[in-house]
């Protein structure tokens, strides 16, 4: 009998017995081991019995024996890799928990050896890193030896695997797991440059993580474990996010901005930054950076460069965080995890709610209006950038926002302000700017749509509209090739229009009215008019602070057709207004103004009366679209009156294809109309033809048109004006310079 | 002390006994204080104890004074509290000796009777000091008397009062030493030769659970005894290992006999199967044996002290061979079932021999084993154990190991922790202090907390 046969016989007997009489099976194996202590299969069989019964302590003891006695057995390694896999996984199933418990029973030294050896046997970088990380977490003393190497390995892997985003599994492991261990280990001395490099790697990751777009589809990593299949029903509402290569659980990074701040605090302390003690918020940090900035010019050499790094890194973090907070409330659908349904996108545009003010008031008020007057005078002139500089540079521009529609308005505006401040700070010295640009270049911030949105808004705020326009064009370019970015809320098209609306607003601010209207009318063409009449709720902010407001305020406009349409009407009105009320006669513009003044009536009453004055002065008015788009009863009444002798027998040519001005209109018409008004609305089904007897017929046609128009005054004004925008688009654009 | 006899005589039995106990206490305290070596109670005092506490007849003329049952109970209570209150171990032990050490005279019968009642009472009330004294008594006394004491306790707790088992169960935590000695005594008493000498099921269950809970219990007496070599030859074994081994090996055949009798008697007892109990007990025995090398090495006794005597195993082997013969005769057509049981008995013997030998509990050569097992029928495992492992180990799974030239001749050749040879270069050299896992649940790593 050979030894091998003996062993086989002994193990076989134990296997036969194990189900019916486990004690007997164990007795056989104990005997077998005293006979053949060097036989692996006997010990493995012992281990299997204990493992299958999930007896943690004894299985752990046997695993230990095998690890010590048979370090070269592939089966042992297979077993160890199963256990280390359980350690790395976040599975809660019983067996995985048992395996983790089993590992815990092993002496620390053996755990350490096991993990190291398991790491050596691992060829997958990620697994290897995870394994080593288990080691580092358990045995802090091993950080000195392996910490930086592991970090560098991960960064190299990231570089060599050509990952698309800094939010990848390697970086996640590096930033969230390895880096804290490394920088918090006081036994290690890292050069400041390396610390800063790591700091920036962390910042890039956390910013990338926070600003990640919503995933197009829920990714379920079916291969991970069966347990995850249960969860989609639970978490259907919230979007799930999985970093490729990681489990869903380990893809979650809690409180990223706070973590980033933690790392910054440690790095700052270790790089001997000024006053980096105990500052626990971004606000504190900004304050510190502002102070430092004042000393910066006086510093030299190392102190200066250290201070420079500190200012740039801190200010950049404040900038990106504030910009993110601003954009997340202005365009929430861009980001995963930000509740996109609570509030739609908002557009920063010129505030035009003063458009109904009297022209004279406006002319005297501001530079802006002054400029408009220049243009209104007909001296069309491309503005130089120098002139543009002066436009909105006044720092205290107000941003108006409907506070009930945006409850977080104050935080939003505060974030916007902080972001602008830190941007300015980063551009206040050449040294800072160079450093900051390096960071931007390495992070490719040019491709960050959300940051581009902030930048555009900032430039608009600064009144640099020409620059803003080019920024918006870039944005449109970034936005286009990302079909996956479609918002789930169905606002996709409107969000897409956001840039156009902003462009229109910029063109308007530059006095480029034709471009402004063209852009805006393109957008409006795609909108559905709201079915509800615009209600004049108390939240209508138009009149609230009229007195204190200047003409160069901005407004955050909700990106809904309900808000965009009125803005469009205001913008068109603003474009035509100054042109209209000049000494020269421009009936078409005047007509458009009258049509547009209907909106938000009687806000525009003063202007309307001014228009009526002008018509009276001219003694006539030709606007063939009148009956298509004017349904305001006050206006109709006024025009009807103008034809009467009392009204001055104004020659009104308001019907299509009316060849000549009508003289001697019937004096009775005004009376008639009044009667009609009293009678209320009647359906009139009469057709008129253009081949009638001219004088009499025209008179009759005007009367009939008026009658019919009165019946239309119940029509949805939004629809009427929307139709106006669509049908008359070409004419409107062409009539503008 | 002899002079107090006159003052005791007029008293009634109980107060005389009380008075004597009182004086005995003082006397022994003085004895210990005087530092006389060895502290021994003189014969006069012994006589007083026999006369006034054990009530042995002093001579043929004087009739023995007798106590009523109530008085006896009162005396036992007094003794109980007397031992309980005595804070000095030496005094208590001497007192216990003075009362219960066998003198080889007529009084011994009364002594045994009173002792049985006292220990039984101590178990009931959890009087640890008395149990400790009784443990020492069991260590010193001839095994015949030890077995008698055990018999009394088993009768009291397992036979007379049903349901009082749990009380006995507690001795395991109250006094492990006593518990260990009790197990030794019980395994000596019940040798499974007849139905009367088969342990009651309740007792068996209790012993199995004790040892499963704490296998070291079996060794506790051995661990606590300084092996001076003055162990009386006729006393109980130091450990119950031999007795337990006998139980496990003989059980498959002994219980088969019982079953057969039960069937012929027509009684259909719905007793739980004892098979699993013995299987667990057998495993525990092997596990305890696996603990030995460390303990023996620590004491410097490895290879020098045999916890199991060859004679004991030789008699077990011959018992087994006789039982197997009987079994063959009784079952004319030896059924498959009975063959399995016979093989089980042989396998258990083989396992016990092998593991005991490998762990230094049994000091003999394979040749010796072949001699004592020569009459046994064939069994594969026994054959393997008797011939020993194939030395030129050539397993495909592991590299060949270098054996020292004398390894094959060593009686414990195959044990890895034996210092004489190192079959596993990595294991014993790097971790000589760690035993191999004996399949014991909850057994901690000895090195974890301390290192």
């Amino acid at each position: 009998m050979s030894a091998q046969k003996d062993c086989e016989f002994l193990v076989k007997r134990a296997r036969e017995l194990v189900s019916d009489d486990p004690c007997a099976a164990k007795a056989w194996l104990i005997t077998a081991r005293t006979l053949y202590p060097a036989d692996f299969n006997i010990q493995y069989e012992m281990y299997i019995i204990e493992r299958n019964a999930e007896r943690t302590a004894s299985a752990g003891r046997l695993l230990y024996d095998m690890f010590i006695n048979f370090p070269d057995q592939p089966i042992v390694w297979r077993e160890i890799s199963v256990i280390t896999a359980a350690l790395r996984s976040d599975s809660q199933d019983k067996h995985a928990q048992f395996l983790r418990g089993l590992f815990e029973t092993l002496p620390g030294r053996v755990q350490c050896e096991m993990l190291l050896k398991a790491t050596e046997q691992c060829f997958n970088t990620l697994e290897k890193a995870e394994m080593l990380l288990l080691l580092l977490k358990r045995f802090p003393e091993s950080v000195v030896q392996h910490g930086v190497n592991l970090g560098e390995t991960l960064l190299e892997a990231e570089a060599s695997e050509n990952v698309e985003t800094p939010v990848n599994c390697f970086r996640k492991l590096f930033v969230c797991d390895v880096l804290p261990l490394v920088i918090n280990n006081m036994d290690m001395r890292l050069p400041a440059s390396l610390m800063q490099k790591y700091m920036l790697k962390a910042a890039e990751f956390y910013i990338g993580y926070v600003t990640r777009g919503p995933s197009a589809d829920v990714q379920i990593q079916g291969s991970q474990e069966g347990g995850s299949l249960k969860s989609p029903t639970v978490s259907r509402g919230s979007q799930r996010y999985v970093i490729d290569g990681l489990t869903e659980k380990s893809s979650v990074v809690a409180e990223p901005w706070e973590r980033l701040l933690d790392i910054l605090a440690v790095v700052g302390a270790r790089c001997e930054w000024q006053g980096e003690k105990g500052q626990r918020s971004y606000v504190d940090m900004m304050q510190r950076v502002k102070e430092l900035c004042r000393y910066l010019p006086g510093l030299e050499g190392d102190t200066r460069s250290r201070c420079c790094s500190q200012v740039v890194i801190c200010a950049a973090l404040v900038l990106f965080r504030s910009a993110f907070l601003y954009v997340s409330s202005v365009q929430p659908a861009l980001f995963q995890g930000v509740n996109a349904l609570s509030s739609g996108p908002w557009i920063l545009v010129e505030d035009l709610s003063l458009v109904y003010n009297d022209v004279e008031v406006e002319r005297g008020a501001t530079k802006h209006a002054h400029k408009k007057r220049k243009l209104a005078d007909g001296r069309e002139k491309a503005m130089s950038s120098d002139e543009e500089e002066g436009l909105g540079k006044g720092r205290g521009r107000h941003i108006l926002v409907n506070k009930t529609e945006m409850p977080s308005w104050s935080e939003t505006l505060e974030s916007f302000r902080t972001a602008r401040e830190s941007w300015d700070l980063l551009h206040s010295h050449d040294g800072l700017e160079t450093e900051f640009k390096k960071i931007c270049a390495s992070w490719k911030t040019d491709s960050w749509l959300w940051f581009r949105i902030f930048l555009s808004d900032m430039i608009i705020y600064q009144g640099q509209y020409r620059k803003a326009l080019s920024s918006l064009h870039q944005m449109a370019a970034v936005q286009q090739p990302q079909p996956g970015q479609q918002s789930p809320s169905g606002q996709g098209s409107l969000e897409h229009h956001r840039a156009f609306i902003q462009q229109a607003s910029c063109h308007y601010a530059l006095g480029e009215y034709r471009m402004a209207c063209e852009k805006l009318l393109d957008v409006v063409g795609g909108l559905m008019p709201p079915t509800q009449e615009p209600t004049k709720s108390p939240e209508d902010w138009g009149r609230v602070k009229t007195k204190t407001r200047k003409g160069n305020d901005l407004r955050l406009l909700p990106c809904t057709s309900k808000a965009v349409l009125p803005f469009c009407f205001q913008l068109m009105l603003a474009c035509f207004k100054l042109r209209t009320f000049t000494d020269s006669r421009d009936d078409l513009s005047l007509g458009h103004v009258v049509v547009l003044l209907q909106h938000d009536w009687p806000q525009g009453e003063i202007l309307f009366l001014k228009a009526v004055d002008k018509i009276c002065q001219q003694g006539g008015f030709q606007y063939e679209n009148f009956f298509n788009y004017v349904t305001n009863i006050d206006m109709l009444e006024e025009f009807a009156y103008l034809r009467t002798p009392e009204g001055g027998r104004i020659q009104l040519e308001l019907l299509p294809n009316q060849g000549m001005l009508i003289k001697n209109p019937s004096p009775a018409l005004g009376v008639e109309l009044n009667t009609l008004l009293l009678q209320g609305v009647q359906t009139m089904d009469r057709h008129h033809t253009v081949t009638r007897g001219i004088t009499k017929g025209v008179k009759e046609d005007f009367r009939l048109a008026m009658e019919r128009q009165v019946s239309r005054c119940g029509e949805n004004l939004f629809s009427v004006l929307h139709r106006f925008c669509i049908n008359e688009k070409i004419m409107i654009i062409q009539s503008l310079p | 002390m002899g002079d107090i006899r006159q003052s005791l005589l007029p008293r009634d039995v109980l107060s005389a006994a009380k008075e004597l106990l009182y004086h005995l206490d003082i006397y022994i305290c003085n004895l210990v204080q005087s530092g006389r070596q060895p502290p021994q109670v003189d014969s006069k005092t012994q006589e007083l104890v026999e006369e006034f506490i054990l009530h042995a007849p002093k001579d043929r003329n004087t009739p023995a004074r007798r106590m009523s049952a109530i008085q006896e109970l009162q005396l036992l209570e007094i003794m109980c509290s007397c031992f309980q209150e005595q804070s000095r171990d030496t005094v208590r032990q001497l007192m216990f000796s003075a009362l219960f050490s066998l003198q080889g005279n007529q009084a011994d019968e009364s002594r045994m009777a009173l002792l049985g009642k006292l220990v039984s009472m101590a178990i009931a009330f959890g009087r640890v000091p008395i149990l400790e004294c009784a443990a020492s008594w069991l260590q010193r006394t001839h095994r015949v008397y030890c077995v008698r004491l055990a018999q009394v306790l088993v009768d009291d707790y397992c036979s007379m009062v049903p349901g009082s088992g749990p009380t006995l169960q507690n001795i395991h935590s109250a006094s492990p030493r006593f518990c260990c000695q009790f197990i030794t005594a019980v395994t000596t008493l019940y040798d499974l030769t007849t139905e009367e000498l088969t342990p009651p099921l309740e007792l068996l269950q209790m012993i199995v659970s004790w040892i499963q809970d704490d296998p070291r219990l079996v060794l506790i007496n051995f661990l606590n005894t300084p092996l001076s070599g003055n162990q009386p030859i006729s006393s109980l074994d130091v450990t119950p290992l031999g007795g337990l081994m006998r139980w496990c090996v003989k059980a498959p055949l002994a219980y088969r006999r019982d079953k057969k009798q039960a069937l012929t008697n027509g009684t259909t007892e719905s007793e739980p199967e004892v098979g699993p109990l013995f299987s667990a007990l057998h495993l525990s025995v092997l596990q305890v044996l696996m603990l030995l090398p460390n303990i023996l090495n620590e004491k410097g006794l490895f290879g020098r002290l045999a916890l199991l005597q060859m004679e004991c195993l030789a008699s077990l082997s011959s018992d087994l061979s006789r039982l197997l013969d009987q079994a063959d005769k009784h079952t004319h057509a030896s059924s498959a079932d009975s063959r399995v049981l016979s093989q089980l008995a042989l396998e258990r013997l083989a396992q016990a021999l092998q593991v005991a030998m490998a762990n230094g509990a049994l000091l003999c050569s394979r040749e010796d084993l072949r001699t004592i097992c020569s009459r046994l029928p064939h069994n594969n495992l026994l054959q393997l154990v008797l011939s020993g492992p194939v030395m030129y180990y050539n397993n495909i799974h592991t590299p060949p190991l270098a054996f020292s030239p004398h390894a094959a001749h060593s009686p414990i050749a195959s044990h890895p922790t034996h210092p004489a040879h190192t079959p596993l270069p990595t294991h014993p050299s790097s971790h000589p202090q760690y035993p191999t896992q004996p399949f014991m649940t909850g057994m901690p790593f000895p090195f974890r907390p301390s290192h």
Side-chain angles (χ1 to χ4, degrees), chain B residues 35-108:
Chain B
R36 202 186 313 149
Q37 284 300 334
Q40 224 167 359
V41 177
D42 61 20
S43 58
K44 277 269 180 321
T45 313
Q46 267 306 337
E47 282 168 19
L48 287 174
V49 168
E50 284 167 13
E51 182 175 357
F52 291 100
I53 293 176
L54 303 172
H55 305 296
K58 184 145 172 65
D59 49 60
R60 285 169 201 276
N61 306 331
T62 44
R65 303 190 348 151
R66 308 214 65 164
M67 278 177 130
S68 69
I70 285 290
Q71 283 175 321
E72 193 179 34
L73 186 63
Q74 283 172 320
L75 176 64
L76 285 169
E77 269 182 359
I78 291 162
M79 288 171 91
C80 252
S81 50
C82 177
F83 284 109
Q84 193 71 26
E85 281 154 23
Q86 178 53 257
S87 55
R88 296 162 73 189
D89 264 354
T90 346
V91 176
R92 204 189 306 120
Q93 288 285 0
L94 279 171
M95 183 99 165
F96 200 88
S97 296
L99 291 170
F100 299 114
S101 275
L102 297 179
Q103 302 297 318
N105 55 22
Q106 283 188 325
D108 281 358

Side-chain angles (χ1 to χ4, degrees), chain B residues 187 190-193 237 240-254 278 282 285-286 289 308-325 342 344-354 356 362 369 371-377 382:
Chain B
T187 51
Y190 296 107
D191 65 358
L192 302 189
T193 46
D237 288 346
L241 281 169
L244 291 171
M245 232 177 239
R246 184 163 55 232
W247 274 15
C248 295
V249 170
K250 288 168 85 174
L253 300 169
F278 280 109
H282 176 62
V285 168
L286 299 188
L289 289 172
L308 293 167
Q309 306 301 317
M310 276 301 280
E311 308 82 68
C312 160
L313 292 166
S315 81
L316 173 57
S317 172
S318 64
D319 276 5
L320 182 59
S321 124
R322 197 168 50 250
L323 277 170
L324 288 167
D325 284 350
S342 303
L344 178 60
L346 288 168
E347 280 162 3
R348 282 198 186 146
L349 177 68
Q351 289 169 353
L353 289 175
Q354 167 60 28
L362 183 61
L369 286 189
T371 310
I372 61 169
C373 296
S374 57
R375 293 196 57 239
L376 293 172
L382 186 63

Side-chain angles (χ1 to χ4, degrees), chain B residues 224-246:
Chain B
N224 290 339
T225 314
L227 284 157
S228 50
N230 61 359
Q231 204 85 356
I233 301 200
S234 54
S235 68
L236 288 175
D237 288 346
V238 183
T239 70
L241 281 169
L244 291 171
M245 232 177 239
R246 184 163 55 232

Side-chain angles (χ1 to χ4, degrees), chain A residues 160-175:
Chain A
S160 64
E161 303 258 324
N162 278 325
V163 286
E164 285 172 353
T165 154
V167 187
N168 57 62
C169 53
F170 304 110
R171 187 75 74 91
K172 194 300 174 155
L173 233 53
F174 173 75
V175 171

Side-chain angles (χ1 to χ4, degrees), chain A residues 1 13 21 28 31 33-39 41 50 55 58 61 64-65 69 73 104-107, chain B residues 279 286 347 351 354 358 389-390 393 395 397-398 401 414 426-427 431 434-437 439 441 445 447-448:
Chain A
M1 216 182 210
R13 281 305 314 265
D21 189 352
W28 270 86
T31 311
R33 192 166 64 169
T34 60
L35 282 164
Y36 291 102
D39 185 79
N41 288 333
E50 297 304 291
R55 273 189 288 268
S58 44
R61 191 65 182 80
Y64 169 81
D65 287 347
N69 296 332
Q73 279 290 343
E104 293 308 329
T105 67
L106 298 173
Chain B
S279 189
L286 299 188
E347 280 162 3
Q351 289 169 353
Q354 167 60 28
V390 179
Y393 194 81
N395 192 313
H397 303 294
T398 41
L401 296 162
S414 50
T426 51
H427 184 198
H431 314 277
Y434 313 146
T436 42
Q437 158 71 346
F439 260 134
T441 47
F445 283 90
F447 44 86
R448 244 195 109 100

Side-chain angles (χ1 to χ4, degrees), chain A residues 644 667-677:
Chain A
T644 63
L669 186 67
V671 183
E672 259 188 66
L673 190 62
N674 282 335
T675 343
L676 273 169
L677 288 173

Side-chain angles (χ1 to χ4, degrees), chain A residues 92-134:
Chain A
Q92 289 305 304
D93 80 72
K94 202 167 144 274
H95 192 62
Q97 281 179 341
F98 160 73
L99 290 174
R100 286 195 283 265
L102 175 63
F103 187 78
E104 293 308 329
T105 67
L106 298 173
R109 190 179 42 74
V110 174
Q111 291 182 340
C112 189
E113 267 178 61
M114 240 182 220
L115 287 172
L116 260 181
K117 286 199 180 173
T119 308
E120 282 165 20
Q121 305 220 339
C122 220
F123 293 105
N124 174 318
T125 311
L126 187 64
E127 275 181 28
K128 197 170 184 151
E130 284 179 331
M131 208 89 87
L132 206 49
L133 197 57
L134 288 175

